[in-house]
Amino acid sequence: MSKIILTASGKGGVGKSTFSSVVGYALAKRGKKTLLIELDSGLRCLDNHLALSSVITFDLSDALCSRCELIKTIYTCPFCKSLDLIPASFDEKFSPSDHGLPRLLVGLRHYWNYIIVDCPAGVGPEVACAASVADISILVAAPEEISVKDAAKAAKVISENGNSKKRLVINSADKSAVKLYKPNNFDNIIDTVGAKLIGVIPYDRHVHEATTLGKPLNLSSKAGIAFANIAARLDGEERALKFRKF
Ligand SMILES: Nc1ncnc2c1ncn2[C@@H]1O[C@H](COP(=O)(O)OP(=O)(O)OP(=O)(O)O)[C@@H](O)[C@H]1O
Ligand SMILES: [Mg+2]
């Protein structure tokens, strides 16, 4: 049975999709079959991250509306054979939560070790709907006040919809963020969001390059190590949280 991991943030552009694709890749590299499902109708990007954009014909709307065989909506990443994707609907008006998303997720549980559901920005029906079946929710926040406040709001909506196991990822941490939040101490972010910290990912231009160019992130790079550690923790391995010096 899969573990369903939901990725949300409230605020847009803080790294949800990056988290989903790179942690999905890191889990797959650990030998775990992983499926990414992107809910961001009309604004998909995980097909780019996984170098699949030129081959997508069917998407999540086809899966949910039974317009084709389910298998046709599932694409395997060319650089990682254990990593699959159901891309978001091309139609921005399509709402997965109105079309039986929980039923699909529960049905898919039998075939992958992990299913990562990448939510759109905001705290709308997609987040609430995915939370109702998720085993664990990841709140991605940038170390800045608005992002933290919005992640707290997303955490509240997730809890209200039945998912109490939440973890916080602080993304794009750099020198200025650390200065703002005191060296090596993100306690105030953790307290505001109300979720245990599962990792801090540094700002690293290699992340941007990898996702933009549709290439795997080197898991030995600065950010790659942080992503791999989070994947290991999600996969049940004990790894101490260490903060590097910025
Ligand atoms: N740790 C990082 N270091 C450098 N760049 C990063 C990092 N994390 C994310 N980015 C970059 O930030 C941008 C936004 O990331 P991403 O698309 O994952 O955010 P998102 O939260 O999914 O956005 P949206 O709300 O639009 O869905 C991307 O260009 C990505 O490459
Ligand atoms: Mg996204």
Side-chain angles (χ1 to χ4, degrees):
M1 282 289 258
S2 313
K3 198 173 183 183
I4 299 179
I5 302 170
L6 174 160
T7 310
S9 65
K11 188 173 187 300
V14 297
K16 293 177 293 299
S17 299
T18 302
F19 174 87
S20 299
S21 63
V22 183
V23 166
Y25 171 68
L27 284 167
K29 291 305 259 182
R30 291 174 62 82
K32 301 297 158 81
K33 269 176 71 64
T34 302
L35 172 68
L36 309 181
I37 302 182
E38 188 176 22
L39 303 187
D40 214 342
S41 294
L43 297 169
R44 67 189 183 205
C45 69
L46 291 183
D47 52 333
N48 281 78
H49 291 202
L50 269 55
L52 282 166
S53 53
S54 61
V55 300
I56 304 296
T57 308
F58 299 105
D59 60 39
L60 182 61
S61 66
D62 299 305
L64 288 169
C65 298
S66 304
R67 284 194 290 254
C68 66
E69 286 172 83
L70 181 59
I71 191 81
K72 290 194 172 155
T73 67
I74 302 168
Y75 296 85
T76 299
C77 176
F79 57 76
C80 184
K81 295 296 170 208
S82 297
L83 182 60
D84 296 319
L85 169 70
I86 300 183
S89 170
F90 182 74
D91 174 6
E92 71 279 5
K93 293 193 188 71
F94 183 79
S95 167
S97 61
D98 289 341
H99 291 85
L101 177 69
R103 194 165 22 102
L104 177 74
L105 291 172
V106 171
L108 291 171
R109 261 186 192 277
H110 301 281
Y111 306 100
W112 283 268
N113 298 111
Y114 290 96
I115 297 177
I116 304 182
V117 183
D118 182 33
C119 287
V123 288
E126 269 47 78
V127 176
C129 180
S132 68
V133 285
D135 297 296
I136 183 165
S137 297
I138 302 295
L139 280 313
V140 180
E144 49 104 8
E145 203 174 326
I146 296 166
S147 171
V148 172
K149 200 179 64 181
D150 290 2
K153 179 75 187 172
K156 184 169 172 278
V157 169
I158 286 166
S159 295
E160 285 166 358
N161 283 278
N163 184 221
S164 55
K165 193 166 178 187
K166 301 185 293 294
R167 296 291 180 267
L168 168 67
V169 168
I170 298 174
N171 185 34
S172 296
D174 60 8
K175 261 194 189 126
S176 62
V178 172
K179 219 183 249 173
L180 208 61
Y181 281 98
K182 312 269 180 348
N184 298 348
N185 180 357
F186 290 113
D187 284 358
N188 44 358
I189 302 183
I190 297 165
D191 290 347
T192 306
V193 178
K196 272 191 196 167
L197 185 65
I198 195 169
V200 178
I201 302 163
Y203 179 86
D204 180 348
R205 69 180 169 81
H206 294 108
V207 173
H208 182 68
E209 281 167 17
T211 55
T212 308
L213 299 174
K215 292 184 169 171
L217 179 70
N218 178 353
L219 296 177
S220 305
S221 66
K222 199 168 65 161
I225 292 169
F227 280 114
N229 281 338
I230 293 172
R233 290 180 194 116
L234 285 169
D235 202 25
E237 196 180 311
E238 294 266 332
R239 285 206 187 172
L241 273 168
K242 286 186 210 142
F243 297 104
R244 53 181 290 281
K245 284 202 175 2
F246 288 91

